[in-house]
Amino acid sequence: MDWNVSIRNEEVAPAYSTYRDFVLGVATHYAGSRLLEALDLEGLGSDIEIGLSNDFDGYFTTIRNVGDLDQSVRTGYYGQLSLRFATIQLCTAFEVLFDSVSRTYGVSVHNEPEVEATYPTLSNAPILMGNKTIKQIRKLHRMLGLDSVLNYDEVLVKLTSIIEVRNCFVHSAGKVPNERVRTRLIAYAIRYDVGEPIRLTVNHFDDFLHYMLIHVQAFMRAIP
């Protein structure tokens, strides 16, 4: 995929470059975790210790060993942890980007109401989205007179679904906290009952990454 995009506003271009570089870095880190999962760790010797720092001797240092790591990989815990961290960073990059763009154009959403969207396959009633970035996206389109696919109701609902996944990881120990969140996750075909832990598939991170990126690029091409 081509990560480069032509941006007319010279103040916004560096913000996109920072976003692109950070997301590529997160992708590289996640690729490294996938590589680690594919290695034969058991052959290294399970008792080999891995110190998390070298500032002090072992007694004062957090120590794990190859056996701990191998067990984590074999049970699938390591893979889920990697997916969680990558998703959190991906959403953080997305939010930081639109904070920067909003500052450039003097857009504040401090007193803005929740964004309303319709998504019939998810709900017959309007869906209300209060995430700051979603509100920034809608207001930027309105104030700048833009028409980009990033502002379509379906896209905002699906972006909210990705952000809700992140929120579950950060705020509710990876579990679906309530019915509203459960319903919103369905927009991205993530189906778990309230109270159940979310388990992402190995493809989810790349799906999230590209869904965000293609719509960010559409927005960047449209801004004046």
Side-chain angles (χ1 to χ4, degrees), residues 20-79:
R20 177 196 63 206
D21 293 347
F22 184 78
V23 171
L24 278 171
V26 174
T28 300
H29 188 271
Y30 180 66
S33 73
R34 295 293 306 277
L35 175 61
L36 184 61
E37 290 179 86
L39 297 177
D40 178 17
L41 298 177
E42 190 177 23
L44 297 176
S46 61
D47 293 332
I48 294 179
E49 294 186 340
I50 308 167
L52 272 58
S53 72
N54 58 7
D55 289 337
F56 310 102
D57 61 34
Y59 182 80
F60 297 101
T61 302
T62 305
I63 300 290
R64 306 301 287 163
N65 60 44
V66 171
D68 298 324
L69 184 55
D70 186 48
Q71 176 70 9
S72 180
V73 169
R74 289 178 183 275
T75 60
Y77 179 76
Y78 184 85

Side-chain angles (χ1 to χ4, degrees), residues 85 97-98 106 132 160-161 166 169 184 187-188 191 195 197 209:
F85 291 160
L97 172 64
F98 281 97
K132 178 184 176 184
T160 295
S161 183
R166 185 277 309 274
F169 292 152
R184 292 184 176 192
Y188 221 93
R191 292 179 169 84
L209 187 159

Side-chain angles (χ1 to χ4, degrees), residues 111-164:
N111 294 315
E112 290 291 313
E114 293 180 305
V115 171
E116 285 193 17
T118 57
Y119 193 32
T121 59
L122 187 63
S123 172
N124 292 323
I127 298 167
L128 299 178
M129 297 171 289
N131 176 265
K132 178 184 176 184
T133 303
I134 299 300
K135 292 196 287 186
Q136 287 172 330
I137 290 170
R138 174 87 5 131
K139 189 168 183 179
L140 280 162
H141 280 80
R142 184 174 70 247
M143 288 189 63
L144 299 177
L146 303 180
D147 179 19
S148 84
V149 68
L150 177 64
N151 197 38
Y152 290 7
D153 281 7
E154 178 182 349
V155 173
L156 293 181
V157 169
K158 287 187 174 181
L159 289 171
T160 295
S161 183
I162 297 172
I163 292 169
E164 289 285 16

